[in-house]
Amino acid sequence: QVQLVDSGGGLVQAGDSLRLSCAASGRTFNNMAWFRQAPGKERECVAAFSRIGDRRYYADSVKGRFTISRDNAKNTLYLQMNSLKPEDTAVYYCAASGRILTVSTSGSSYDYWGQGTQVTVSS
């Protein structure tokens, strides 16, 4: 059974850092990503990673502040978030795909999703 378990969210102040983790079990994936959804807003992809070609994608809003990485031995995806801003407040979800061959920012590309972890940044 495939499962993704998100963790690492919390309540922090602007300028602080957090590291989100997504532990995958049941299989390994070549393509994984982090999405977020704030109240009243559409879900957006903030970062994506592909083992094929070691490719990474970052949304403009997080570029230079967030880093996506993966520990293959632990089958775990990470999102290091630095210099957090109040506008980063959202529920963050990891996602994994067994179909696509490169990074994708579309939620429809991903087959498996974590349960989500809340990140709240106070000003």
Side-chain angles (χ1 to χ4, degrees), residues 23-64:
S25 60
R27 62 167 289 181
T28 58
F29 298 94
N30 287 327
N31 294 281
M32 301 183 74
W34 288 99
F35 287 76
R36 69 184 180 188
Q37 187 164 23
K41 295 187 177 181
E42 293 187 355
R43 181 179 60 190
E44 65 168 334
C45 179
V46 296
F49 172 80
S50 177
R51 292 178 65 182
I52 303 173
D54 194 24
R55 300 187 68 177
R56 289 167 172 81
Y57 160 86
Y58 295 99
D60 287 343
S61 58
V62 307
K63 202 170 292 183

Side-chain angles (χ1 to χ4, degrees), residues 8-19 65-66 81-89 118-123:
L11 172 61
V12 297
Q13 293 186 333
D16 286 350
S17 298
L18 279 175
R19 189 177 77 157
R65 299 188 298 121
F66 290 12
M81 305 186 296
N82 299 330
S83 302
L84 283 162
K85 303 176 180 180
E87 50 263 45
D88 294 320
T89 295
Q118 176 71 47
V119 172
T120 303
V121 184
S122 63
S123 57

